[in-house]
Amino acid sequence: MKHTISNRRTAINDIEVYVFAWPSKGGVIILEHTEGIDFEFLGLDPVNPPPTRLQNQAEEDVFCQRLLLLGAKWWDSEIRWRFLKAADERDEATIEALEEETEPAPTMRERRWVSVGWPTGGGLWVAEFDTTLWEIEEEHNIVPEDTARLRLARTMDERCQVLKEHLGGRYYEDISEYEGYAFLNSWNATEQGEVGPLLKKNV
């Protein structure tokens, strides 16, 4: 399976918006279900989203770290992300590869649903759940059916309120306190991918 080469920043389809970042360590960081609040947090123009990444790698790494703060996932490669997206959509060939173990099963970090809010008063709110991607690992902690209520939040503070009052979010005074499965504070520690090496690409 060949790796894809990409330098895109955003992708938009009829369902959702994706934001991509390309760390110097390799792999790709992707935020799915991106909303206007996230664009504001990232300093991106929501009316004319940037199509491509920053050419300066040091500046791109700064953006990568900012994107991780929103609960984005750090994938080994874009092709790994695409593979598990296909699995989530029950693609027959992809499911067969997982069943026959010719491709690694999704890790807990890869399968995790995460939403993060940064209130103006400081600290952060995090809600995270297991998903039905491939096999359920935490039957007591499956992603709720009403997570779309987050789209109603007009500000980051309102998002935090939704996370707290409706999605069982947990508050942390500092990101260093977080010990969940998201990649929130993984920038310094990450040297290896979830199931293999972090694929490096040329800009």
Side-chain angles (χ1 to χ4, degrees), residues 1 78-87 94 97-98 103-104:
M1 186 178 290
E78 188 173 356
I79 200 67
R80 174 65 177 175
W81 171 66
R82 289 183 177 278
F83 175 80
L84 290 183
K85 286 288 286 184
T94 304
L98 289 171
E103 291 286 346

Side-chain angles (χ1 to χ4, degrees), residues 16-19 31-36 38-39 42 70 159:
E16 61 179 303
V17 178
Y18 305 87
V19 175
L31 181 66
E32 303 184 29
H33 311 295
T34 314
E35 301 168 16
D38 301 308
F39 269 65
L42 296 168
L70 290 172
R159 171 183 288 181

Side-chain angles (χ1 to χ4, degrees), residues 128-198:
E128 59 181 292
F129 301 95
D130 192 12
T131 64
T132 56
L133 174 61
W134 190 227
E135 297 177 348
I136 298 174
E137 297 191 21
E138 294 182 341
E139 295 185 1
H140 64 286
N141 188 41
I142 296 297
V143 59
E145 296 180 353
D146 63 341
T147 56
R149 69 170 63 246
L150 284 165
R151 300 177 188 173
L152 298 175
R154 296 163 296 181
T155 66
M156 190 63 82
D157 281 332
E158 286 188 351
R159 171 183 288 181
C160 293
Q161 189 174 357
V162 173
L163 292 174
K164 175 184 177 181
E165 297 181 4
H166 298 283
L167 296 176
R170 180 176 176 181
Y171 177 75
Y172 301 88
E173 290 187 357
D174 187 84
I175 193 172
S176 62
E177 299 175 358
Y178 175 77
E179 296 181 345
Y181 287 103
F183 291 88
L184 282 172
N185 50 9
S186 64
W187 179 259
N188 291 328
T190 298
E191 298 294 340
Q192 181 74 12
E194 283 295 292
V195 297
L198 292 169

